[in-house]
Amino acid sequence: MDAEWIFDDPSIPDETLLYRRVTKHPDNLVPDLETGRWTVGIALFTYRGDGLSIYASCLMEQEQISDIDLIDWDRERLARFETRVVRRGERGDPFVNGHPPAGTVAPGEEFETPGGVVACVSEHDGDSRVQRSHGLVRIALKPETRDAKKYWNAFRVKLISTALIKAAPRTEWSTSIEK
Amino acid sequence: MTVLSPKSKNAKYLSKISIEKEGVFWKSSIDQDAVIAPLYEYRNPMLSTVIEIGARCVAVVDIVASPSVQTFYSFPARSSNETDQIREIESVKRKETVLSAAFVHAVHRLIALRESGIDAGAQARLLMTLRRSMSGTSIYPSITSDGFGGAIAEWRAGRRFIAIEFTPDGDYSWIATDASGSLERNEVGSGQPDASELGAALHTFSEQVGSANPNWRQIFA
């Protein structure tokens, strides 16, 4: 594990909500084949570069912006999940003993893969308040390192199962949407 | 009918195909897994896709009236004009093969995603895997890009899902959860997952979805 790799900032409260852009093209929502409603798929939670790009509500409050200000709602939707879920992991880092998580990870149950959140000003968004609200979700392993994919796969199941979606600025958050 | 000019950048992923002589790539020993790598949509009354087989030959994949049957044609890529190419299409060897409707759906989704930067190798491995693992009763996959060149096929039903992801570095992930959302498979490897194992998982998943929602095809209509 890289000692210089900081994957969690404890000053970000557990109550912080994390927002993630959901592009319409390509569409990162998948249909629930039993209900026909659309929900987040694994493509929304891809681990590359410096981590998973998000906006943190604690930073947004400092900038006095809301979720409505984060994206272009004509081209994007928004997903939301909680910092406490990102950090949740009942047995700590499963790679400490060199054994990657091989399954049986159930959200809220006795074995989960923990992650963290760090603030990171974005260089890509036009609005400086949005830029300063940006952060990254990370796990203990850097992207592109050995075993990071397996670790991240176990981690992102938590996000897939708990994320909510908002398709328009004035609608309610929901686990799935109509298309 | 318009024939789009071919490119060659993805040709290496199709190198397994044996070209006996210019203009004819199809023969009995053809590696079926290597056939599909759609590069262009070929607009005519039939749904068609132009694929490239090396620098000297392209092929047209026509999805005809029955969604489970495709006809493969081949013809020289460098004809002097469109009329010559059309004539060649009519004269070269042809052979039919059976593809699942789910596979045809996946091909068309990838065509729709052709501007999203999916790596050609990741796309080819995804299609090979789907072709080997899906059957005529398979539920259609959701196909998308990961935004970094990767290609993903995913099936979701409640908290249960199967996802296979192919990344440009040559790796794949196979992730699956059960009905409670618990991770029951987390496999990462190089190349492609075991197609028979994936096929068995998709068969079980398809049966369960088909029973719970016999009208699932309407989702993709």
Side-chain angles (χ1 to χ4, degrees):
Chain A
M1 196 176 298
D2 188 338
E4 295 182 358
W5 177 248
I6 297 170
F7 75 97
D8 194 25
D9 176 355
S11 72
I12 296 177
D14 276 351
E15 297 74 30
T16 299
L17 296 174
L18 305 175
Y19 298 93
R20 169 99 175 132
R21 292 173 187 262
V22 184
T23 60
K24 292 183 179 178
H25 303 289
D27 196 338
N28 286 328
L29 298 184
V30 298
D32 183 321
L33 294 160
E34 292 181 351
T35 66
R37 291 177 63 84
W38 294 71
T39 187
V40 295
I42 70 161
L44 185 63
F45 303 111
T46 300
Y47 195 45
R48 297 282 193 281
D50 293 327
L52 182 77
S53 177
I54 49 88
Y55 300 95
S57 63
C58 62
L59 304 175
M60 291 159 57
E61 287 166 12
Q62 293 172 16
E63 300 296 333
Q64 298 183 316
I65 59 173
S66 74
D67 57 7
I68 294 173
D69 304 310
L70 291 176
I71 62 169
D72 176 353
W73 290 91
D74 290 333
R75 299 191 311 148
E76 297 166 310
R77 309 180 191 94
L78 211 52
R80 187 183 84 182
F81 48 97
E82 298 177 23
T83 298
R84 75 170 74 254
V85 172
V86 167
R87 289 178 173 147
R88 201 167 61 193
E90 295 295 324
R91 288 179 54 185
D93 185 349
F95 277 83
V96 167
N97 298 319
H99 299 295
T104 69
V105 181
E109 294 185 11
E110 65 178 2
F111 186 97
E112 289 183 325
T113 306
V117 185
V118 296
C120 177
V121 175
S122 169
E123 298 173 354
H124 300 296
D125 304 299
D127 187 326
S128 60
R129 298 171 304 161
V130 175
Q131 289 176 334
R132 290 191 292 268
S133 301
H134 186 259
L136 296 163
V137 169
R138 291 174 170 173
I139 54 174
L141 300 175
K142 280 183 174 179
E144 323 305 341
T145 55
R146 186 175 175 274
D147 292 330
K149 287 177 182 166
K150 200 157 192 173
Y151 195 133
W152 180 260
N153 286 343
F155 169 78
R156 63 179 160 177
V157 168
K158 287 191 302 185
L159 308 188
I160 292 168
S161 63
T162 58
L164 301 176
I165 312 165
K166 197 178 196 182
R170 305 296 174 191
T171 56
E172 297 295 317
W173 290 94
S174 173
T175 55
S176 61
I177 62 170
E178 298 282 354
K179 278 180 78 174
Chain B
M1 188 157 61
T2 303
V3 177
L4 301 174
S5 62
K7 297 178 181 176
S8 60
K9 64 179 181 180
N10 296 321
K12 62 182 177 179
Y13 298 110
L14 298 166
S15 59
K16 282 191 289 186
I17 291 178
S18 174
I19 303 176
E20 287 192 304
K21 59 182 180 179
E22 184 170 359
V24 179
F25 77 91
W26 191 268
K27 62 176 187 173
S28 59
S29 62
I30 192 166
D31 182 346
Q32 291 192 353
D33 294 331
V35 170
I36 306 295
L39 300 180
Y40 313 104
E41 199 162 6
Y42 189 66
R43 297 191 182 282
N44 69 21
M46 292 192 296
L47 294 172
S48 302
T49 301
V50 177
I51 63 175
E52 182 169 83
I53 312 297
R56 298 163 64 196
C57 180
V58 297
V60 179
V61 181
D62 287 337
I63 298 166
V64 295
S66 166
S68 64
V69 178
Q70 290 194 340
T71 303
F72 296 89
Y73 306 87
S74 67
F75 60 97
R78 309 294 183 208
S79 290
S80 57
N81 61 56
E82 188 175 303
T83 305
D84 287 347
Q85 290 187 334
I86 294 169
R87 191 175 304 126
E88 286 290 343
I89 291 172
E90 293 168 348
S91 65
V92 297
K93 289 181 181 178
R94 48 186 289 173
K95 182 173 180 176
E96 291 186 347
T97 187
V98 176
L99 298 171
S100 70
F103 180 79
V104 174
H105 168 82
V107 170
H108 280 277
R109 286 296 305 142
L110 281 165
I111 291 169
L113 289 167
R114 64 185 179 276
E115 302 298 329
S116 62
I118 292 178
D119 174 76
Q123 173 177 289
R125 286 183 294 119
L126 171 67
L127 285 169
M128 289 177 201
T129 300
L130 293 178
R131 178 149 185 183
R132 287 171 170 166
S133 57
M134 293 196 301
S135 69
T137 58
S138 295
I139 302 289
Y140 295 177
S142 295
I143 305 286
T144 193
S145 155
D146 69 1
F148 296 90
I152 295 170
E154 188 169 353
W155 298 259
R156 177 96 179 242
R159 301 190 74 174
R160 185 163 33 106
F161 74 82
I162 297 173
I164 48 174
E165 177 182 45
F166 296 87
T167 46
D169 60 4
D171 284 349
Y172 73 86
S173 287
W174 174 358
I175 316 166
T177 59
D178 63 18
S180 70
S182 298
L183 189 63
E184 62 178 13
R185 186 161 196 134
N186 182 11
E187 178 180 313
V188 176
S190 179
Q192 301 162 58
D194 184 288
S196 60
E197 264 194 86
L198 179 60
L202 292 177
H203 179 72
T204 301
F205 189 93
S206 297
E207 281 191 335
Q208 292 169 339
V209 169
S211 175
N213 179 15
N215 300 317
W216 61 267
R217 285 181 181 79
Q218 293 178 0
I219 296 169
F220 300 96

